[in-house]
Amino acid sequence: MMKTNSSIFQFAIIFILILEIRIQLSEESDFLVNRSKTGLFHIPKDLSLKTTILDISQNYISELQTSDILSLSKLRILIVSHNRIQYLDISVFKFNQELEYLDLSHNELGRISCHPTVNLKHLDLSFNAFDDLPICKEFGNMSQLEFLGLSATQLQKSSMLPIAPLHIRKVLLVLGDTYGKKEDPESLQKLNTESLHIVFPTRKEFSFTLDVSVSTAVSLELSNIKCVPDGNGWSYFQNVLSKLQKNSRLSSLTLNNIETTWNFFIMLLQLVWHTSIEYFSISGVKLQGYLDLRDFDYSDTSLKALSIHQVVSNAFSLPQSYIYKIFSNMNIQNFTVSGTHMVHMVCPSQISPFLHLDFSNNLLTDIVFKNCRNLIKLETLSLQMNQLKELASIAQMTNEMKSLQQLDISQNSLRYDENEGNCSWTRSLLSLNMSSNILTDSVFRCLPPKVKVLDLHDNRIRSIPNPIMKLEDLQELNVASNSLAHFPDCGTFNRLSVLIIDSNSISNPSADFLQSCHNIRSISAGNNPFQCTCELREFVQSLGQVASKVVEGWPDSYKCDYPENYKGTLLKDFHVSQLSCNTTLLLVTIGVAVLIFTVTVTALCIYFDLPWYLRMVFQWTQTRRRARNTPLEELQRNIQFHAFISYSGHDSAWVKSELLPNLEKEELRICLHERNFIPGKSIVENIINCIEKSYKSIFVLSPNFVQSEWCHYELYFAHHNLFHEGSNNLILILLEPIPQYSIPSSYHKLKNLMARRTYLEWPKEKSKHGLFWANLRASINIKLREQAKKIDHT
């Protein structure tokens, strides 16, 4: 259906120009400058030299000077509408050779100075204060001009001559309030345009004789038509419309802002009915008065589409059934009545040729077209924004529409109760829009069986019940803005290719959906309260793999809502390890780690002889406990030996042949393990007992010593002798040199003692043996004397 509208046309031109510029330019921010509504009195001086589009509309600019835009050599679009400019010298644009779009509408222009100008595509001088048409002879050189907006209070045929050779796609002509005093009815006949929009003076009864039947026009739009009951406006307007028959090319007529009577309105429809007009649109209608009943002649019409928008009636009593009958029996293909407060529409009295009906934004109820069998050709029906309530009734209505393919019943108050009976839709219905209603989960048990496109967004759906009727043909499903917690099952919609499920309550979606729905080519699931936990990990991975191909709004619309530390994080930035999400894997990993740790610790313990230390510490602890519980005098009385000798069995020959004889001949009592260990006690306990009962502990060090575990025991306990703390009770005799590398790591005590203490080294020369024994006996005798003094004193 065609509807000509100047604002749409102008927007289209701007869009095309901007699109062309954006394709050619890479740094958009440097070229698009919007300074509208900023309180400007002059064009800003700080504009980039690369500026291509400049919008300074809705300001207080009163003049344009060459210096203002001299540097903007790349300027292509300039919008200066809604300012206070009174005079325009076109020469100010002589340096802007790339300028294509110039909008100076809604200013106070009364005069312009002509100059050879650039080759504009769009020039808008409408809604200004011109008396005569602002057409310069230089305009005739604008061979690329596609849109021309003009203003005038008087028209002359000669004024159009400069642009007569041009073929202009769209011309907007705004007539001032004083238009009509000196009117030339033929002033537009030289105009060469495909689309003509004339805006007549507002608040003035139509009393014009202007011939608007421009021979080249395919589309005509007339605004501000007032025909009051007591005036001659209808006669004038009827005369204008009658002349349209002269133009056989004219196929589209649009009338805006009409104020007339019901009778004139019906007469207007009847008049246009018998012209060559194919597309007729009426909007912004104020009707008054009564309506006379008369037959409407539907014969001999070229009309294909009739649109009636925004009708307000001041009549208190109208034969509504008569109006509905006129409308329903129209023998056209497309019929639109919107925004008219229409409460009903009757069924056509015979098989109707209607293909498309649009009754949106009215007050229709569930009884519309009830049991209507004469709309069998209807393919598209829109009942959007009405008073529909029962879905089952609407389904029953469509059952007689055998060709209906598209139905829009959105923005009503529809609900469905399964107890009210089964739904019986026409099987031809392929597209159904039920958005913005109060439908619940039960709606899925009341759907057309062959539907391909289903829109259920903005309802009260919490879940898609399973099992439901299989919609094997469904390809597009929109369930956005509901309360769904899960994705639908593709087993029910096996041909689904487009899914819109934004703004629901989906927190932990399953990755199985994307894997099972093989036909999905577009999915929009943003603005849901995603819980960024382990359960979401697989879904995010699956979504990321297909995001560039099928996911709409990715990644900006997909954010974490929970937990708090992730709130606002994009799903693409949410990462959690597989280990922390897989309990079995986590337990296995912990088990392996514990096992490795245990094996490692055990190996280290064995390597560093930890069991030996543990046994030793146990014995040492027991001894320490016993010592604390025994008085010091009693412990001192228990000392029986001058020295305890620790040596390796491999060094026993030297001990027995050299050491013992030289010590015992001085009446020193020596403790040896082979003669003084008490049978029945453990070796460790015997060692500790001997050390406790000896003043000194003599250690015969040699490579054989460091290889003996028991020698290590003895050395450790002697070094930690609890009963001689603070005394020098260890005597080290180095029988043979011991290389540091040969000392085991577990003998770190021996290493420390050899590094810190002075030891006696057994000399190889016999001449030095006497000195060695003298030093050893002196060391023991000194200590013995000190000890003897202590005993005597006690």
Side-chain angles (χ1 to χ4, degrees):
M1 183 184 299
M2 180 188 298
K3 179 182 176 181
T4 305
N5 185 288
S6 61
S7 60
I8 295 178
F9 184 87
Q10 294 178 42
F11 172 80
I13 293 179
I14 296 176
F15 177 79
I16 292 173
L17 288 173
I18 293 176
L19 184 62
E20 290 178 354
I21 293 172
R22 287 185 175 179
I23 291 175
Q24 297 177 18
L25 303 177
S26 56
E27 299 179 0
E28 215 170 282
S29 59
D30 288 339
F31 311 121
L32 308 179
V33 179
N34 185 357
R35 299 289 182 88
S36 62
K37 299 181 182 179
T38 54
L40 297 175
F41 287 89
H42 303 282
I43 296 180
K45 303 295 185 181
D46 59 343
L47 299 176
S48 169
L49 299 180
K50 296 181 180 180
T51 301
T52 304
I53 301 175
L54 176 60
D55 185 354
I56 50 175
S57 60
Q58 302 185 62
N59 283 293
Y60 305 101
I61 299 173
S62 58
E63 63 176 347
L64 295 178
Q65 298 181 356
T66 304
S67 58
D68 294 334
I69 56 176
L70 175 64
S71 60
L72 305 179
S73 59
K74 298 183 180 298
L75 189 64
R76 297 182 64 180
I77 296 178
L78 177 60
I79 304 174
V80 205
S81 60
H82 295 276
N83 277 280
R84 298 178 178 180
I85 301 174
Q86 298 179 353
Y87 169 73
L88 174 64
D89 185 354
I90 297 182
S91 63
V92 300
F93 306 112
K94 61 184 178 181
F95 296 107
N96 308 104
Q97 294 300 312
E98 296 187 17
L99 188 64
E100 297 179 348
Y101 186 104
L102 178 59
D103 185 356
L104 288 161
S105 63
H106 297 277
N107 275 277
E108 301 173 6
L109 285 170
R111 189 166 59 92
I112 64 173
S113 294
C114 296
H115 187 275
T117 184
V118 293
N119 206 359
L120 296 172
K121 291 182 179 180
H122 182 105
L123 175 59
D124 194 351
L125 300 171
S126 62
F127 295 98
N128 277 285
F130 295 109
D131 289 328
D132 298 318
L133 286 173
I135 298 178
C136 304
K137 63 179 181 179
E138 288 81 2
F139 285 10
N141 297 324
M142 296 185 187
S143 58
Q144 298 184 24
L145 191 63
E146 296 178 354
F147 176 88
L148 178 61
L150 302 170
S151 300
T153 57
Q154 58 184 9
L155 300 177
Q156 294 181 357
K157 192 174 183 178
S158 59
S159 301
M160 293 290 182
L161 293 178
I163 61 173
L166 301 179
H167 181 68
I168 307 173
R169 183 178 301 175
K170 170 79 175 186
V171 172
L172 169 62
L173 177 58
V174 180
L175 302 177
D177 292 337
T178 60
Y179 174 77
K181 294 180 180 179
K182 296 180 180 180
E183 190 175 15
D184 181 2
E186 304 295 323
S187 57
L188 301 180
Q189 294 307 301
K190 294 294 183 180
L191 193 60
N192 184 1
T193 182
E194 294 181 9
S195 178
L196 175 62
H197 182 189
I198 302 177
V199 180
F200 290 99
T202 58
R203 298 182 299 276
K204 186 175 183 180
E205 185 176 8
F206 195 89
S207 58
F208 313 111
T209 60
L210 183 64
D211 188 351
V212 297
S213 60
V214 178
S215 60
T216 59
V218 177
S219 174
L220 176 64
E221 185 173 357
L222 305 177
S223 299
N224 299 334
I225 301 167
K226 184 176 182 180
C227 302
V228 296
D230 299 330
N232 297 320
W234 171 246
S235 298
Y236 280 100
F237 189 60
Q238 185 179 18
N239 181 57
V240 170
L241 293 181
S242 63
K243 294 180 180 180
L244 297 180
Q245 299 184 14
K246 296 188 303 180
N247 180 9
S248 58
R249 298 187 57 188
L250 188 65
S251 61
S252 176
L253 175 63
T254 301
L255 304 180
N256 302 318
N257 302 327
I258 303 174
E259 184 177 350
T260 186
T261 65
W262 271 103
N263 281 325
F264 289 165
F265 181 72
I266 299 299
M267 292 170 64
L268 172 62
L269 295 178
Q270 185 70 85
L271 179 61
V272 174
W273 204 266
H274 298 295
T275 64
S276 62
I277 302 297
E278 296 180 358
Y279 305 95
F280 184 29
S281 177
I282 309 172
S283 64
V285 184
K286 292 183 180 180
L287 298 176
Q288 56 183 308
Y290 299 97
L291 177 59
D292 299 330
L293 303 182
R294 63 184 69 178
D295 293 335
F296 194 91
D297 184 6
Y298 298 103
S299 62
D300 300 329
T301 184
S302 301
L303 200 63
K304 296 179 180 179
L306 172 62
S307 300
I308 303 174
H309 305 276
Q310 304 300 325
V311 177
V312 177
S313 175
N314 295 330
F316 293 100
S317 177
L318 281 173
Q320 295 187 18
S321 59
Y322 168 70
I323 299 174
Y324 300 149
K325 181 180 178 182
I326 291 178
F327 287 164
S328 65
N329 290 321
M330 289 183 171
N331 54 339
I332 57 177
Q333 296 179 346
N334 306 294
F335 184 39
T336 297
V337 179
S338 66
T340 64
H341 301 287
M342 182 172 62
V343 298
H344 188 55
M345 176 55 66
V346 298
C347 182
S349 58
Q350 57 185 359
I351 301 299
S352 174
F354 284 143
L355 297 179
H356 309 283
L357 290 179
D358 184 354
F359 295 147
S360 59
N361 193 16
N362 285 293
L363 302 174
L364 299 176
T365 62
D366 297 337
I367 62 173
V368 63
F369 293 140
K370 187 175 183 179
N371 298 322
C372 183
R373 295 181 172 85
N374 292 328
L375 292 172
I376 60 175
K377 296 183 179 181
L378 188 64
E379 297 177 358
T380 303
L381 174 62
S382 177
L383 298 175
Q384 181 188 47
M385 296 179 65
N386 277 280
Q387 301 295 320
L388 309 180
K389 295 183 178 180
E390 301 297 334
L391 183 60
S393 299
I394 303 304
Q396 186 63 38
M397 173 198 73
T398 68
N399 202 30
E400 300 295 337
M401 302 175 181
K402 305 301 182 182
S403 301
L404 187 64
Q405 297 181 11
Q406 299 182 30
L407 175 62
D408 186 350
I409 47 177
S410 61
Q411 300 184 60
N412 281 280
S413 300
L414 287 169
R415 58 181 178 272
Y416 175 66
D417 187 351
E418 297 180 71
N419 299 323
E420 294 180 0
N422 295 328
C423 288
S424 179
W425 296 91
T426 178
R427 296 186 64 84
S428 61
L429 192 57
L430 302 178
S431 177
L432 177 58
N433 187 346
M434 295 191 290
S435 61
S436 301
N437 281 286
I438 53 175
L439 297 166
T440 60
D441 305 357
S442 61
V443 68
F444 286 95
R445 306 190 188 280
C446 181
L447 294 175
K450 299 295 183 181
V451 66
K452 293 184 177 180
V453 179
L454 179 60
D455 190 344
L456 288 168
H457 83 268
D458 191 21
N459 276 283
R460 300 179 182 179
I461 302 171
R462 294 183 176 274
S463 65
I464 299 177
N466 194 17
I468 63 172
M469 57 183 300
K470 282 197 174 183
L471 301 176
E472 296 181 351
D473 295 324
L474 186 65
Q475 298 176 6
E476 299 184 18
L477 176 62
N478 186 346
V479 286
S481 301
N482 280 281
S483 300
L484 291 169
H486 304 284
F487 281 98
D489 182 9
C490 275
T492 305
F493 315 118
N494 51 21
R495 292 189 181 180
L496 190 66
S497 60
V498 177
L499 175 63
I500 303 174
I501 197 168
D502 299 273
S503 304
N504 274 274
S505 301
I506 299 175
S507 57
N508 292 308
S510 172
D512 295 339
F513 172 78
L514 293 173
Q515 298 171 0
S516 60
C517 297
H518 303 293
N519 295 322
I520 286 289
R521 57 181 174 82
S522 175
I523 180 173
S524 180
N527 301 313
N528 275 289
F530 295 111
Q531 292 188 10
C532 291
T533 57
C534 288
E535 290 77 8
L536 195 68
R537 181 175 175 272
E538 291 186 6
F539 173 78
V540 173
Q541 290 178 343
S542 300
L543 205 63
Q545 292 173 358
V546 298
S548 60
K549 298 179 180 179
V550 301
V551 183
E552 305 293 336
W554 180 269
D556 296 337
S557 298
Y558 298 78
K559 299 179 180 179
C560 298
D561 186 70
Y562 178 87
E564 285 297 323
N565 57 321
Y566 277 112
K567 191 168 186 177
T569 302
L570 296 177
L571 291 194
K572 75 177 184 65
D573 298 328
F574 168 67
H575 303 290
V576 59
S577 66
Q578 184 178 3
L579 179 63
S580 60
C581 291
N582 191 324
T583 305
T584 303
L585 181 61
L586 180 62
L587 292 176
V588 171
T589 303
I590 293 176
V592 171
V594 170
L595 180 61
I596 293 174
F597 177 77
T598 303
V599 172
T600 303
V601 170
T602 302
L604 291 174
C605 290
I606 295 175
Y607 181 77
F608 290 107
D609 209 3
L610 184 62
W612 182 87
Y613 282 107
L614 291 177
R615 293 195 304 270
M616 182 180 63
V617 168
F618 175 76
Q619 295 291 339
W620 181 69
T621 303
Q622 293 295 102
T623 305
R624 185 178 181 87
R625 184 182 295 111
R626 186 170 65 252
R628 287 178 177 175
N629 296 328
T630 304
L632 180 60
E633 294 80 0
E634 183 178 346
L635 292 175
Q636 291 175 344
R637 286 196 296 270
N638 290 334
I639 297 176
Q640 301 175 5
F641 305 100
H642 291 85
F644 166 69
I645 301 176
S646 176
Y647 60 93
S648 171
H650 296 286
D651 301 323
S652 61
W654 181 84
V655 171
K656 293 177 180 179
S657 62
E658 296 287 346
L659 182 60
L660 284 177
N662 282 283
L663 293 179
E664 289 183 340
K665 71 180 181 180
E666 297 292 332
E667 298 182 353
L668 298 177
R669 298 186 63 186
I670 305 300
C671 179
L672 294 178
H673 64 272
E674 61 262 33
R675 68 187 183 187
N676 295 113
F677 276 15
I678 301 174
K681 288 187 177 182
S682 66
I683 296 177
V684 174
E685 191 173 359
N686 273 307
I687 292 173
I688 295 175
N689 186 49
C690 287
I691 292 175
E692 289 176 356
K693 294 179 179 181
S694 302
Y695 287 120
K696 294 289 183 176
S697 294
I698 300 173
F699 291 90
V700 180
L701 303 181
S702 69
N704 297 321
F705 182 91
V706 298
Q707 301 299 323
S708 173
E709 181 179 356
W710 293 113
C711 290
H712 191 198
Y713 272 108
E714 294 166 353
L715 177 64
Y716 188 90
F717 282 112
H719 183 255
H720 292 85
N721 192 340
L722 304 172
F723 316 109
H724 298 81
E725 291 181 359
S727 63
N728 190 13
N729 64 313
L730 295 181
I731 298 175
L732 303 179
I733 297 176
L734 186 60
L735 183 61
E736 296 179 11
I738 304 175
Q740 286 289 326
Y741 64 84
S742 66
I743 302 177
S745 59
S746 58
Y747 279 51
H748 56 86
K749 293 293 183 184
L750 177 60
K751 292 182 179 180
N752 292 334
L753 288 172
M754 293 182 69
R756 293 181 313 191
R757 287 180 176 269
T758 301
Y759 52 86
L760 296 174
E761 186 175 357
W762 173 248
K764 300 299 181 180
E765 300 86 352
K766 287 186 178 182
S767 59
K768 298 180 179 179
H769 287 179
L771 179 60
F772 172 82
W773 297 121
N775 289 334
L776 179 58
R777 286 193 296 269
S779 175
I780 296 175
N781 287 332
I782 292 173
K783 297 296 181 181
L784 286 175
R785 285 197 293 272
E786 290 178 357
Q787 185 62 33
K789 291 178 182 178
K790 290 180 181 178
I791 295 174
D792 295 340
H793 178 74
T794 303

